[in-house]
Amino acid sequence: MLRSLVGSEMCIRDSINAEYGRTLATMEFEYLRQHGADPALKDLSGTLTLSPKELELVHADLAQLEESTSHEYCKNLLAKESASLKLQVEQHERSLKLRRQREAALQARESNGRKAITSYAWDQSDLFVSVYVTFPGVHELPEGAVTTHFEECSFVLCINDNQGCAHELRMPSLCFPINTAKSKHVIKTDRMVVKLKKTVKGQEWLGLDDVARKKKEHREKRIESGDLQGASTQQLLADMYDQADEEGKRSLREAMAEGERKRKADAEKAAGK
């Protein structure tokens, strides 16, 4: 008798599953028949998605089936299907949103609207050189809107805004080579930080680019074996002033003036004693 009861229950369950499967198959066939040839209705995985109107109809059908059945197993089956459908809808919506964000970022990069980023700051630690770029709203831009490309002695930061304009910071000649695999960018509220990993721990960068380093190396060669070999302190200072840019010359003038004031103060103090 126990075998008979178990067998009857299995028959009922198989019958319910078969009926439920036929119902879903009919719904799928009708949908594929109407939309199967339309590639625009496919998500990133290639699965056909339903329009909001069609989703309402499917949910209504599931609710009607759940109300019409009195068997607990069938009710649970329909509830699981409804929850599964809801989860798929959420996944499709997230996939669609990400795809649109990536497409928008790609279109911005390919557009002619480009602006150079000229304002930035930088500092360094023993391990990294950090470049800071202020950009209001950068933390609210879609995924993929900010990109960085690193090479051994250069990097490019690109920020694609919501108006289709690409803002770029290009540094073609860094002071020293960097570890490209461990360099990265970090997005913070209204600003960007580009982290350049040093290849030599504790290496001192004279500037973000290689201009100051090359100028220093050239001057050292002149002092060691060139036209400044054996030059006096006064001659070295005069040459340093001649080679400096306007900002450097102003700094040297201020330093010399401060040095002169200090010498006078020391001389007056010594004379007073």
Side-chain angles (χ1 to χ4, degrees):
M1 183 175 181
L2 179 60
R3 291 182 179 179
S4 177
L5 289 174
V6 172
S8 298
E9 183 179 351
M10 291 180 64
C11 289
I12 294 173
R13 184 174 299 177
D14 291 342
S15 177
I16 292 173
N17 285 339
E19 182 62 28
Y20 177 69
R22 282 193 295 271
T23 302
L24 290 182
T26 302
M27 293 169 61
E28 182 180 6
F29 173 78
E30 287 300 319
Y31 180 73
L32 292 174
R33 184 178 61 81
Q34 296 176 26
H35 302 95
D38 189 356
L41 294 174
K42 293 185 178 181
D43 68 357
L44 297 178
S45 304
T47 304
L48 290 172
T49 61
L50 299 172
S51 68
K53 179 69 173 178
E54 289 166 328
L55 285 173
E56 290 180 8
L57 294 175
V58 172
H59 280 296
D61 286 345
L62 287 173
Q64 186 177 1
L65 286 172
E66 190 172 357
E67 290 177 359
S68 63
T69 183
S70 59
H71 200 285
E72 190 64 26
Y73 175 77
C74 193
K75 285 182 178 292
N76 292 336
L77 200 61
L78 290 168
K80 288 180 181 179
E81 182 63 25
S82 181
S84 175
L85 183 62
K86 182 180 179 182
L87 179 61
Q88 291 180 49
V89 169
E90 292 174 352
Q91 291 174 341
H92 290 156
E93 289 176 348
R94 285 196 296 269
S95 297
L96 183 60
K97 182 179 179 181
L98 289 174
R99 181 174 63 182
R100 287 173 177 172
Q101 289 174 347
R102 286 194 289 267
E103 289 175 350
L106 180 61
Q107 289 176 359
R109 286 196 295 270
E110 293 176 348
S111 67
N112 294 324
R114 296 182 181 274
K115 291 184 180 180
I117 297 174
T118 57
S119 178
Y120 59 88
W122 72 280
D123 64 14
Q124 61 183 308
S125 64
D126 286 344
L127 298 177
F128 285 92
V129 173
S130 299
V131 185
Y132 305 94
V133 177
T134 299
F135 198 97
V138 67
H139 60 289
E140 298 174 340
L141 293 174
E143 182 182 351
V146 178
T147 59
T148 43
H149 176 70
F150 300 102
E151 293 188 1
E152 184 181 18
C153 291
S154 66
F155 79 89
V156 178
L157 165 67
C158 183
I159 305 174
N160 299 285
D161 63 24
N162 290 322
Q163 285 71 48
C165 182
H167 303 257
E168 293 183 341
L169 173 60
R170 292 180 173 270
M171 197 58 58
S173 301
L174 293 171
C175 185
F176 289 107
I178 60 174
N179 185 329
T180 58
K182 295 185 177 180
S183 297
K184 60 183 179 180
H185 71 258
V186 180
I187 301 176
K188 297 181 176 292
T189 303
D190 294 329
R191 69 188 180 108
M192 287 288 312
V193 183
V194 180
K195 308 282 287 186
L196 306 174
K197 182 68 168 63
K198 292 181 177 181
T199 55
V200 179
K201 182 180 179 180
Q203 188 177 58
E204 189 72 16
W205 287 34
L206 299 179
L208 190 56
D209 59 24
D210 61 357
V211 175
R213 177 180 62 80
K214 288 183 175 180
K215 186 179 291 186
K216 180 184 178 182
E217 291 173 352
H218 178 65
R219 178 177 173 81
E220 289 173 349
K221 287 182 179 179
R222 292 175 62 203
I223 294 173
E224 290 175 3
S225 57
D227 59 317
L228 292 178
Q229 188 176 19
S232 65
T233 302
Q234 192 67 25
Q235 289 173 325
L236 291 174
L237 289 173
D239 179 76
M240 184 182 295
Y241 183 84
D242 291 339
Q243 298 297 322
D245 55 19
E246 290 304 317
E247 184 178 351
K249 289 179 179 179
R250 177 167 53 79
S251 299
L252 287 171
R253 287 195 297 267
E254 292 175 354
M256 287 187 289
E258 181 63 26
E260 184 64 24
R261 284 193 295 270
K262 186 176 180 180
R263 283 192 295 272
K264 287 182 178 180
D266 291 343
E268 291 174 357
K269 186 176 180 180
K273 290 181 177 179

